[in-house]
Each structure stands twice: as C-alpha cells, then as structure tokens.
Amino acid sequence: MSDQHPHVLLIEDNPGDADLVRLRLVESRSDVDVRCVDRLSAGLSRLSEEQPAVVLLDLNLPDSHGADTFRKVLSKAPGVPVVVLSGQDDEELALKAVHQGVQDYLVKGNFDSKQLARAMRYAVERQALITSLDMSRRQQLQFKDQFLSHVSHELRTPLTCIHQFTTIMLDGISGELSGEQREHLETILRSANQLRSMIGDLLEATRAESGKISIEPRCLVAADVIQQAASMMKASAQEKRIGLEAAVDTRIPMIYADPDRALQALLNLIENAIKFTPFEGSVMVKACLVEADHDFVYISVADTGRGITPEARNLIFERLYQDPNSIDDSRKGLGLGLYITRELIRLHGGRIWVESQLGHGTVFSFTLPLFSMAKLLKPVIAVEGRLRDSISLITIELSPLLASSAGNWDRDRRQCLQLLRSCVLPDKDTVLPPFENSNGGELFLVVASTDEHGAKILEKRIREQLEHSQELKTGCVFQVATTELDLPSQESGESIEQNVQKVAGVITETAMLKLQRTGNSNGHAKNIGNLAGQQTIEGRIL
C-alpha cells in the first residue's frame, strides 16, 4: 500500500460493522480512502470501474451468501487482494477461502486496529508476490516453449540428412549391402523415424500450449475419416496380429471439423490402442449418434489391452505424462500424443474422456460437432417467423488446373472462401462450409436471400472477384451457377423450423447431385443424403 491515497473497497451491509471498520482504520492511522457498498452487485460494479488496493468483504450479504461471495469477487478481480470479514468463526470456511485465493480471514469483533492494518498490508504484499511468481512462471514456460520449438526445428535438418542417406544405402544406390549391414541400417532408420515423430510431437505440443494451433472446419463424412485412419493403421495392426475393425452408424450426417486435425486425433488414439494391446488382441473404432445429444457425433476407440489404473486415468491427458506401470516396450514416445489429441478435440468444441478397468482394456471416446444446415440457414433465410420471399443458391465448383498445382491448393481454396465471404451481405446471405470432391476439388454453396435477378448480380460479382485473382486464375478452374429455389408453402400451417428444414433438404439434394456428377457418389453424396436419417447399420471396414 505504497500509493499516496490508496482506496479500500468495503462490501458490508451492516452500517454498524462498516463504521467499526472505518474506526479501526482511523485508529491504525492508515492513510486510506474507504468506499463502502452494501450489496455484492454494487461491489462487482465498482470493481469493473476501478480496482482498489484491498477488498474487505463480508460473506453474508442481501444478494449473496457464504463461499459464493468470495468466489464471485475473486473471479471479477483476480489480481486484487481480498480480506474476508466474517461473523462466523468457521475454520473450515476460512481454509476453503484461503485455498481458493482469499488472502486472510478475520472474525468480526475479534480484531483490533493493528491486526486489521497488518492483515491488509500482508494481503497486498502476498498478492504482489503471487503476481510476480505467476509472471515469472509464465515467462519460464514461454522461454521453455521457444527453446523446445527452436531446438526441434534445428534437429530436423540433420535428422532429414540421416534419413535420406540411410534410405539411399538401403535402396542399394551406393552399393551392395551385406545382411548385417542392412540390419544395422534398418535399426538406424527405425530410430530416425521414432526421433522424427518425437520432434513432431514437441512442435505440436508447443503450438498447442501457446494457442497457435488453428483449425479450418469443413463438411466431412465421419465414415471417410474413420476409413482413412483405419487404412493408415492397418499395417501396424497386422504386424502385431491385432484385429482392427470399425463400425459406423449410417444415420450420421456430415460432421463439421477440420479433416486433417480430426484424422490426426483419431490416428493418435488408434496408434495408442495398438501400442498397448498385446499380440492377437483387437481394436474397435465406433461412431454413433446419442439420443440425448443431437449436436455431436460420438467416436470411440476400444482396445483389449491391460487397462489403465485409476490414478493414471486422472493424469493421462496431461502434457508429458507416461504411465509408470506401462511396459517398457510401449514407452516409445514423450507422452504428448493424448495431450495433443485433447487440445485438437477442444478446439472443435468437443470433449474427450477415457474409461478403463485393469485387465479389461480401455475405451477412449470423443465428440465432434455435427453439421446442421438448417441451424446455419435459419438466421439468414427466415425473418419475423417466416421464410423470405425469395431464396437462391449459387454453386461454385473449384478444381486445381494441373496436378502440379496441388501444392498451392490449400492457399487457393482459402482465398476462394475469403473472396466469397467478401461478396455476400452478412444479414441476408451466407457461405456454407465447403464440401470436398473426390477429384480433389471443392464445392462452395452461397445461399442468397434474393430472387433470380438479384442472384445473377451476386453471381457476376463472384465471377469478377475470382477472375481478378491472379493465383486462382492461373492455378484453378471454376464453374459458377445460380438456381432460384422452390420454397415450401407458408400457408400449410407448418412451423418455421419445418420450412427451414425443407429448404435445407433442397440445398442438400442440390449439393448431392453436384458431388455425384464429379464422381463422388459413394462418398460425400451418399452421406449427405443421410441427413434425413436411416436405419442403423454397422459395417466392418477392415
């Protein structure tokens, strides 16, 4: 309390107790300005306007009682020291308050002016120390992350060199190898690949810790992601004679996720399951809908491994954690895979959890958001409880011009999406998440709240923007088309939700036909058609 005239916020509804606190401060010759409020709401409002040197807080107020009172104050102003002035001599409550961030707990009538002044002074000093330690900890973490990132990048160059020259020798380009030489080189290559995987995990974990991982959600088919992950892990499973199967509920509509990140999360879990499953065990990947949660798809990876202890289950998603009871042969990583997976799922708005029992295997489950076209369309195509008079659909099919331009494809499709968003009116039009074609292209849909004439004007604007982009013009080919949608009768007595759902169905059918035309009838188009729902059919993928 080194300021000339620091102010103290006293939150106390009893005028007598408030006067007593002021008296104690005068007696201690504390040069402070006391500002008193008699409601917690008023105190929180004051904290928003200006932060005091100390908050003196009564726990039982007209609008708040007990532990909730100090929790709300700490949440509102986490850097301000709080001293509780309570009429209850409650040791348990006092400990809870201190453990959760309160600096001191005084009982009314049991403190004099010196004790109050000392409590306030110590509270300020302790809070300053905590703030300093927290800042130092953050700086250390930042330095550690920067160091790990730098070292990981620097290690990649010599590692790539080791990998390339080892591969050259194994391919026989530099001469014939004896059996023993080949065996030694294969050991080097396996170790180099393992080190490369560790370096990749370090870089990914560092980006996750600093919030630098980003996702680009798109419309995906859950079965496609699971099929791809299972195919990629098939060789690893066969090497240990592990049965790898997948079952997908065919009623699942499109999911809204980043394809690369969703695949990465699933691969991490399947790889982990194979690693900890003994020879001739089994791993099952499932995707299903849950009646109680209509917004997410539930995906699980179950194994027949040794299981996880209750203690390990509580720590399994922590950074660098490895189960000390795991067999040595399984500890080939840094304990970052599950941490990275958790962060990827969290970025999608989903959650991940583990269920396990020693000797009976483990099940990792996570959720990814479902794509709801009706939910996305309603704010744009409905106004005052009715559909707009006219709604048009503009389709933009974008494809790489040459196979050699595939390296710039991510840049091109992002630029196309940005251009489309710059062309529409946010309150009347919307650009739907893109659909991927099997031929490597992308299908974009723009829903415009206008008639065919207005849509043609918007189509012209889109064409001009695409043609003026030098990168898109030289690296891509695009087709743009406009259709005015036939809207359901609004006099039928159906709800606005039902009418929006019908419009969504028409747009879905249009997208399906477009994708079928590009040779994708067995992939995305089939699953887009499942938006209406079908019987549950579980099919074996492997």
Side-chain angles (χ1 to χ4, degrees):
M1 296 171 52
S2 59
D3 293 340
Q4 289 280 331
H5 296 288
H7 84 269
V8 173
L9 177 61
L10 174 61
I11 306 178
E12 171 63 73
D13 65 317
N14 188 313
D17 289 339
D19 289 339
L20 181 61
V21 171
R22 288 192 180 94
L23 177 61
R24 293 286 182 261
L25 290 174
V26 170
E27 291 174 347
S28 66
R29 298 181 180 178
S30 298
D31 189 13
V32 295
D33 177 18
V34 181
R35 303 173 190 179
C36 183
V37 295
D38 60 359
R39 296 288 189 279
L40 178 62
S41 57
L44 297 178
S45 179
R46 285 287 186 95
L47 287 171
S48 298
E49 298 169 1
E50 184 180 7
Q51 293 195 345
V54 183
V55 174
L56 301 178
L57 179 66
D58 181 16
L59 293 185
N60 292 316
L61 299 164
D63 54 349
S64 184
H65 300 278
D68 281 343
T69 306
F70 67 72
R71 289 195 193 103
K72 291 174 183 176
V73 173
L74 292 171
S75 175
K76 188 70 174 180
V80 176
V82 177
V83 176
V84 168
L85 305 179
S86 175
Q88 300 177 338
D89 189 2
D90 188 334
E91 187 69 20
E92 183 178 349
L93 180 60
L95 284 172
K96 181 187 293 185
V98 172
H99 286 163
Q100 295 187 24
V102 167
Q103 294 299 337
D104 212 336
Y105 185 101
L106 301 179
V107 180
K108 294 178 182 179
N110 289 355
F111 61 84
D112 57 23
S113 57
K114 290 183 179 180
Q115 290 172 323
L116 178 59
R118 183 168 58 245
M120 292 168 58
R121 185 170 65 254
Y122 288 176
V124 172
E125 292 173 356
R126 280 195 294 268
Q127 186 65 46
L129 179 61
I130 290 172
T131 302
S132 176
L133 290 173
D134 187 54
M135 184 179 298
S136 176
R137 183 185 64 84
R138 287 199 302 269
Q139 290 174 343
Q140 288 176 356
L141 287 174
Q142 183 179 6
F143 172 77
K144 181 186 68 175
D145 287 341
Q146 289 175 346
F147 174 76
L148 288 175
S149 179
H150 178 74
V151 169
S152 299
H153 279 292
E154 291 299 318
L155 286 174
R156 278 185 162 184
T157 301
L159 182 61
T160 299
C161 184
I162 293 170
H163 188 277
Q164 287 178 343
F165 277 96
T166 303
T167 303
I168 287 172
M169 295 177 71
L170 283 170
D171 290 342
I173 296 175
S174 60
E176 291 295 324
L177 298 173
S178 67
E180 186 177 1
Q181 288 173 330
R182 178 169 294 276
E183 184 178 341
H184 292 332
L185 286 172
E186 287 174 347
T187 300
I188 292 173
L189 187 60
R190 283 195 300 270
S191 297
N193 288 333
Q194 184 179 344
L195 184 56
R196 176 184 287 181
S197 177
M198 289 179 175
I199 290 172
D201 284 348
L202 271 176
L203 288 169
E204 195 78 333
T206 301
R207 285 192 289 265
E209 189 75 18
S210 58
K212 292 181 180 178
I213 291 183
S214 60
I215 62 171
E216 294 184 30
R218 295 155 71 191
C219 294
L220 306 175
V221 178
D224 288 354
V225 178
I226 293 172
Q227 173 74 72
Q228 186 178 359
S231 298
M232 292 172 69
M233 298 305 302
K234 184 178 181 179
S236 297
Q238 289 177 340
E239 187 178 345
K240 292 183 67 176
R241 297 197 297 274
I242 289 174
L244 176 57
E245 299 180 4
V248 180
D249 185 341
T250 58
R251 296 175 304 166
I252 298 174
M254 305 278 293
I255 60 175
Y256 187 50
D258 184 309
D260 296 328
R261 295 305 191 177
L263 179 63
Q264 181 182 358
L266 192 54
L267 285 174
N268 281 348
L269 294 180
I270 297 176
E271 182 181 22
N272 213 49
I274 293 173
K275 183 193 300 184
F276 290 99
T277 298
F279 280 85
E280 299 186 348
S282 65
V283 174
M284 170 63 79
V285 184
K286 286 186 177 181
C288 65
L289 299 176
V290 174
E291 189 64 31
D293 190 351
H294 298 286
D295 296 325
F296 290 88
V297 60
Y298 282 64
I299 302 174
S300 63
V301 178
D303 63 58
T304 58
R306 61 186 296 276
I308 305 173
T309 64
E311 296 78 13
R313 286 202 300 271
N314 295 328
L315 301 170
I316 199 75
F317 295 107
E318 295 302 316
R319 188 178 183 183
L320 299 176
Y321 177 78
Q322 289 183 319
D323 186 354
N325 298 314
S326 65
I327 54 178
D328 292 339
D329 190 44
S330 297
R331 298 181 64 178
K332 296 180 180 178
L334 297 174
L336 293 171
L338 290 176
Y339 166 77
I340 293 169
T341 301
R342 182 190 67 179
E343 292 304 298
L344 294 177
I345 300 302
R346 182 186 61 80
L347 287 172
H348 283 88
R351 59 190 183 93
I352 184 170
W353 66 96
V354 61
E355 299 170 281
S356 183
Q357 192 174 7
L358 280 177
H360 293 83
T362 302
V363 181
F364 283 93
S365 303
F366 65 94
T367 61
L368 289 174
L370 294 171
F371 174 64
S372 173
M373 187 177 293
K375 186 181 295 185
L376 190 63
L377 289 177
K378 185 178 177 182
V380 176
I381 68 172
V383 58
E384 296 181 355
R386 290 175 57 86
L387 291 177
R388 293 184 184 271
D389 295 333
S390 299
I391 301 172
S392 297
L393 180 67
I394 302 173
T395 60
I396 302 94
E397 297 175 70
L398 191 74
S399 302
L401 188 60
L402 300 170
S404 59
S405 65
N408 297 322
W409 175 242
D410 283 345
R411 179 204 65 190
D412 292 341
R413 64 179 179 79
R414 286 195 194 100
Q415 184 176 5
C416 180
L417 190 59
Q418 291 173 355
L419 288 176
L420 293 177
R421 287 171 175 167
S422 68
C423 289
V424 303
L425 299 175
D427 59 333
K428 296 184 66 177
D429 313 320
T430 187
V431 181
L432 297 178
F435 298 84
E436 185 178 359
N437 290 332
S438 62
N439 64 358
E442 203 98 355
L443 173 65
F444 299 90
L445 303 177
V446 177
V447 181
S449 298
T450 183
D451 57 17
E452 187 174 2
H453 175 71
K456 287 293 183 181
I457 295 175
L458 178 56
E459 177 189 334
K460 180 182 178 183
R461 185 158 68 240
I462 290 173
R463 285 181 182 277
E464 290 174 349
Q465 289 294 322
L466 294 176
E467 290 169 353
H468 287 164
S469 170
Q470 191 63 30
E471 292 85 357
L472 293 179
K473 190 164 66 172
T474 57
C476 302
V477 58
F478 58 86
Q479 296 180 13
V480 186
T482 298
T483 305
E484 185 172 1
L485 302 180
D486 292 328
L487 302 181
S489 172
Q490 303 197 57
E491 310 304 326
S492 62
E494 294 183 319
S495 66
I496 182 62
E497 286 77 16
Q498 290 172 314
N499 284 329
V500 170
Q501 189 65 53
K502 286 184 177 181
V503 175
V506 172
I507 295 174
T508 295
E509 184 178 356
T510 303
M512 179 178 65
L513 292 173
K514 290 282 186 182
L515 292 171
Q516 284 177 335
R517 195 188 69 196
T518 57
N520 204 28
S521 58
N522 292 325
H524 297 280
K526 175 182 176 182
N527 280 272
I528 293 174
N530 287 334
L531 286 169
Q534 296 179 3
Q535 293 288 324
T536 302
I537 301 174
E538 292 191 345
R540 179 174 294 188
I541 290 180
L542 291 179

